[in-house]
Amino acid sequence: MSVRHLLDIESLGTERIVQFLDTAEVFFDVSRRKIRKVPTLRGKTVINLFFEASTRTRTSFEIAGKRLSADVVNVSSSGSSVSKGETLLDTVKNLEAMRPDVLVIRHSSSGAPHFIAKHSSASVINAGDGTHEHPTQALLDAFTIRRAKGAIRGLIVTIAGDITHSRVARSNIHLLTRLGATVRVCGPRTMVPHGIEQLGVSVFDDFSAAVEGADVVMMLRIQRERMGEVLFPTAREYSRRFGLGRRVLSNAKPDAIVMHPGPMNRGVEIDPDVADGPQSAILDQVEAGVAVRMATLYLLAGEAGQSPLS
Ligand code: CP
């Protein structure tokens, strides 16, 4: 099965999602070896084009490309001619002229990677576009859940916080419902999109009820930078009603895992003793990110019939 771009989860079939997750298992093992490098993408060029800040996604795509022996170049808006007013299309056309194999793009405008894919002969990976999707985050989240729980089908996953502005929530809802999880969402009504039930989730107003019996509790960051107006009274009030502390977490299954895509607002949506506690899978998510991004680069830029490790 060949795949040209990874733009969203919504248009990926179940078989394809499982292919990404299974391939990531191979690269997870590579990342735990003493020598964490394979020749798979030797001679290929990956450009990471980040128009928004990132720690985890950008670093893990760079490490993923380097572990696959690709040549990796990082471009950010502040250090490029974007800061002089060059358009997105001109930027991409100029990078295209250097013949990259893969463009990894993060942009504040929903749909930017789809636009680039229409004008690019390179494979395009969406590393987060506005409030739309963050497909590799959902894949690494599913990978983390599958490793912790053995399977995704039949699990109860509670996603809580600023659902409206979260591309992570949208990608996870598409992926987890497709793989057979029961997905609950919870947050202030001002941060839960009207009609989200149509995506196959149930909406909860009460956080303790949303967490009751859950196998996975996924907390989301309040995205103040995407809010045009104030959507909650104070951080203290938000934390009191929707922050994950040990008391609320005790409603979940005893072996439930806690997830957060990062960056965290400690003391707002999650208490430090939960973020750093025994049920936290937050750093497991970060480790999974490298394996999932290696799998993504291999599936998009590897030669037909090429095995993952050669
Ligand atoms: N989860 C995530 O996208 O983190 P970064 O913004 O640091 O890449």
Side-chain angles (χ1 to χ4, degrees):
M1 291 196 297
S2 68
V3 52
R4 183 150 145 64
H5 305 296
L6 178 59
L7 300 176
D8 52 44
I9 296 293
E10 187 175 10
S11 60
L12 278 191
T14 306
E15 202 181 340
R16 181 75 78 197
I17 292 168
V18 172
Q19 182 193 28
F20 276 94
L21 299 181
D22 289 348
T23 307
E25 291 288 352
V26 177
F27 292 116
F28 189 83
D29 292 342
V30 170
S31 289
R32 288 199 164 184
R33 287 182 189 166
K34 201 166 173 195
I35 305 294
R36 295 179 284 278
K37 201 164 180 109
V38 289
T40 317
L41 294 189
R42 200 167 38 200
K44 305 279 183 179
T45 304
V46 176
I47 299 182
N48 289 328
L49 188 51
F50 276 64
F51 293 91
E52 265 192 349
S54 168
T55 296
R56 284 145 287 267
T57 312
R58 179 172 154 160
T59 309
S60 59
F61 264 115
E62 181 172 358
I63 291 173
K66 287 178 171 169
R67 287 190 182 164
L68 291 167
S69 302
D71 297 311
V72 183
V73 179
N74 294 309
V75 179
S76 63
S77 47
S78 61
S80 72
S81 290
V82 171
S83 62
K84 300 176 196 162
E86 190 165 44
T87 66
L88 176 61
L89 187 54
D90 280 338
T91 301
V92 169
K93 278 183 177 168
N94 280 270
L95 295 175
E96 274 278 314
M98 301 176 207
R99 299 192 171 276
D101 297 282
V102 182
L103 291 173
V104 179
I105 174 155
R106 168 168 289 192
H107 202 283
S108 57
S109 297
S110 299
H114 297 70
F115 172 76
I116 289 176
K118 285 201 184 99
H119 295 91
S120 169
S121 53
S123 290
V124 176
I125 299 173
N126 179 1
D129 63 327
T131 58
H132 174 231
E133 280 224 35
H134 192 349
T136 56
Q137 179 70 44
L139 287 167
L140 75 86
D141 290 341
F143 183 89
T144 305
I145 295 170
R146 209 174 68 159
R147 280 189 82 87
K149 299 287 167 195
I152 289 172
R153 182 162 298 283
L155 297 179
I156 297 174
V157 181
T158 301
I159 304 177
D162 182 1
I163 310 289
T164 299
H165 299 98
S166 177
R167 53 198 179 203
V168 174
R170 219 166 309 283
S171 288
N172 265 301
I173 288 168
H174 288 307
L175 192 156
L176 294 168
T177 53
R178 201 154 299 159
L179 291 195
T182 296
V183 180
R184 302 169 176 171
V185 299
C186 179
R189 279 284 160 167
T190 49
M191 294 185 186
V192 177
H194 184 68
I196 196 166
E197 294 90 343
Q198 284 160 17
L199 297 182
V201 302
S202 352
V203 177
F204 287 69
D205 292 316
D206 180 76
F207 191 27
S208 294
V211 168
E212 184 72 43
D215 299 280
V216 177
V217 184
M218 186 182 293
M219 301 307 298
L220 301 173
R221 182 173 69 90
I222 295 174
Q223 304 204 20
R224 293 174 201 270
E225 73 275 22
R226 298 191 210 283
M227 287 179 196
E229 55 187 325
V230 178
L231 298 179
F232 58 93
T234 62
R236 180 194 274 263
E237 172 67 9
Y238 181 90
S239 174
R240 199 179 59 75
R241 287 198 55 203
F242 298 103
L244 185 65
R246 278 192 293 197
R247 191 180 54 77
V248 176
L249 183 58
S250 68
N251 292 296
K253 293 214 176 98
D255 62 348
I257 58 168
V258 174
M259 303 176 75
H260 193 304
M264 291 183 276
N265 295 303
R266 285 173 178 265
V268 181
E269 72 263 7
I270 189 163
D271 286 358
D273 56 354
V274 170
D276 304 325
Q279 288 170 267
S280 174
I282 295 170
L283 295 180
D284 298 330
Q285 291 172 262
V286 179
E287 183 179 9
V290 177
V292 161
R293 285 160 183 142
M294 287 175 83
T296 304
L297 291 172
Y298 158 71
L299 288 170
L300 268 61
E303 298 298 326
Q306 184 186 8
S307 81
L309 304 183
S310 61

